[in-house]
Amino acid sequence: MSKTGALDLASGLGGKITKEEVKSAVDEYEKYHGYYGGKEEARKSNYTDMVNKYYDLATSFYEYGWGESFHFAHRWNGESLRESIKRHEHFLALQLELKPGMKVLDVGCGIGGPLREIARFSSTSVTGLNNNDYQITRGKELNRLAGLSGTCDFVKADFMKMPFSDNTFDAVYAIEATCHAPDPVGCYKEIYRVLKPGQFFAVYEWCITDHYDPNNATHKRIKDEIELGNGLPDIRSTRQCLQAVKDAGFEVIWDKDLAEDSPLPWYLPLDPSRFSLSSFRLTTVGRLITRNMVKALEYIGLAPQGSQRVSSFLEKAAEGLVEGGKKEIFTPMYFFVVRKPLSE
């Protein structure tokens, strides 16, 4: 069960970072990013530290607002956010042609919401790969509560250097996670190595689209805001991602930006012009309440110093995501299915 109350949010703020060190961690995290004058090279060379700090600082906010699955989704009219998120995960499982008993890897699994849903949906065993101690601890507890400890597990490791033998898994997927990789070819090569020949890898990638203009100051600001608020070294284009997976050795089965034909915009939950009781905490009013609640919790000492700044850069990310979505320069669901050849 996800953490849903104010005290749950306060108790998780900072993750594995001690309460006294949260403010300095926020300082260090912000300095990595272009929004504060940071350089892409520094983000890439220090990606492990940057991404770990990000998820230590942001995970409780994510779980408080989104539940156990930290991702967007293609969404039909009349479909709730939660329903669309589950269908997004089921769609991926179907594209992988999962069958009962298969051994599956979730690359960059968060606290394991998707892996639990996919394991139940497909009767498979799913291993979640994650390099963040706090998320793994939280994910194992949620596995236990769901009764899935026997079929779902977590491994702490960097997805650029996976601790698995060659040809280990029957299927591999990533949901809005490999965007954190400093080198997409290197990341996809590791996935290629641990996947069995003839089997599938499917991924939802965060990408800039062909509408993005690097010389447009507004576009650049939006990109910087998204990178700051989401722990990203750089947002790659759809073309770069597709070429990277080909360079890693995969055969492309199909690819598509699923945001293009979503009946409801993927960014709708964050849109300030929209109100919804079913996802109230993500609305403008809900985020205002959360922001003031965090301010109060920090003031009385229940939340660590620096918590308001984490809330602030997540707000900035939300603004960038909505603006990027409306201008069609960014997508969180560039989807492709690829296969490792039977013979190399």
Side-chain angles (χ1 to χ4, degrees):
M1 181 179 179
S2 289
K3 296 182 177 183
T4 56
L7 292 179
D8 290 319
L9 174 61
S11 67
L13 286 171
K16 291 287 186 178
I17 302 171
T18 65
K19 191 173 181 180
E20 295 72 27
E21 294 175 332
V22 167
K23 184 175 180 297
S24 63
V26 176
D27 289 338
E28 292 171 19
Y29 174 76
E30 288 178 340
K31 287 176 183 175
Y32 281 125
H33 287 278
Y35 192 80
Y36 290 97
K39 302 298 182 184
E40 180 184 329
E41 294 75 16
R43 294 195 295 277
K44 287 183 175 180
S45 60
N46 296 284
Y47 76 95
T48 300
D49 178 66
M50 181 188 71
V51 174
N52 260 313
K53 278 188 170 64
Y54 174 75
Y55 280 113
D56 274 330
L57 294 168
T59 293
S60 283
F61 283 101
Y62 272 159
E63 192 174 354
Y64 180 78
W66 286 92
E68 297 176 22
S69 293
F70 306 159
H71 63 80
F72 294 99
H74 176 283
R75 190 170 170 188
W76 293 103
N77 288 303
E79 189 175 43
S80 71
L81 176 61
R82 181 165 297 187
E83 289 169 342
S84 71
I85 284 173
K86 286 191 174 187
R87 182 175 56 78
H88 206 60
E89 294 163 359
H90 296 173
F91 174 81
L92 183 147
L94 291 169
Q95 297 304 310
L96 288 169
E97 300 183 7
L98 299 184
K99 297 178 177 60
M102 277 187 165
K103 188 175 180 181
V104 182
L105 178 66
D106 180 333
V107 177
C109 61
I111 59 172
L115 72 81
R116 284 183 290 278
E117 185 64 32
I118 287 172
R120 286 185 291 238
F121 178 74
S122 60
S123 299
T124 54
S125 296
V126 187
T127 298
L129 186 74
N130 194 322
N131 209 21
N132 183 269
D133 286 314
Y134 175 70
Q135 289 197 335
I136 289 175
T137 299
R138 181 69 186 135
K140 285 184 175 180
E141 173 64 10
L142 291 169
N143 280 0
R144 184 188 66 78
L145 292 172
L148 290 170
S149 296
T151 55
C152 296
D153 197 11
F154 294 85
V155 171
K156 184 181 186 304
D158 182 344
F159 52 40
M160 302 298 291
K161 297 172 285 191
M162 298 187 196
F164 307 118
S165 300
D166 295 357
N167 309 324
T168 295
F169 294 96
D170 298 302
V172 181
Y173 68 85
I175 301 177
E176 302 182 19
T178 47
C179 51
H180 292 292
D183 169 25
V185 177
C187 179
Y188 294 153
K189 279 185 175 179
E190 271 295 271
I191 291 168
Y192 183 96
R193 181 182 65 79
V194 302
L195 182 63
K196 292 178 181 177
Q199 300 302 105
F200 296 107
F201 166 49
V203 61
Y204 293 112
E205 281 285 8
W206 280 35
C207 292
I208 52 175
T209 71
D210 289 343
H211 297 290
Y212 177 80
D213 178 2
N215 297 313
N216 183 306
T218 299
H219 290 192
K220 181 67 169 62
R221 172 185 55 77
I222 292 168
K223 182 173 179 284
D224 285 346
E225 288 176 351
I226 295 171
E227 288 168 351
L228 166 69
N230 295 280
L232 304 178
D234 182 41
I235 306 176
R236 294 173 280 270
S237 71
T238 55
R239 295 172 188 268
Q240 287 174 314
C241 284
L242 191 63
Q243 187 58 53
V245 82
K246 291 176 181 178
D247 291 343
F250 284 103
E251 300 171 345
V252 177
I253 305 303
W254 69 280
D255 71 290
K256 182 176 176 59
D257 179 4
L258 298 183
E260 291 178 350
D261 61 0
S262 182
L264 292 177
W266 60 266
Y267 54 82
L268 199 63
L270 300 176
D271 191 336
S273 65
R274 175 233 182 223
F275 182 83
S276 169
L277 288 175
S278 64
S279 52
F280 175 73
R281 288 175 178 172
L282 298 175
T283 64
T284 301
V285 176
R287 299 207 303 268
L288 175 64
I289 291 171
T290 299
R291 185 163 60 250
N292 288 327
M293 180 181 68
V294 170
K295 182 178 181 180
L297 291 169
E298 186 173 322
Y299 178 77
I300 63 178
L302 286 177
Q305 293 295 312
S307 298
Q308 289 183 75
R309 284 168 60 193
V310 178
S311 178
S312 178
F313 70 62
L314 292 175
E315 282 277 323
K316 187 61 65 178
E319 292 168 8
L321 288 165
V322 171
E323 197 172 357
K326 287 183 174 180
K327 292 183 181 298
E328 299 182 346
I329 63 172
F330 170 81
T331 177
M333 56 189 74
Y334 176 53
F335 184 73
F336 54 79
V337 182
V338 297
R339 180 169 49 206
K340 181 175 179 177
L342 277 170
S343 57
E344 298 182 48

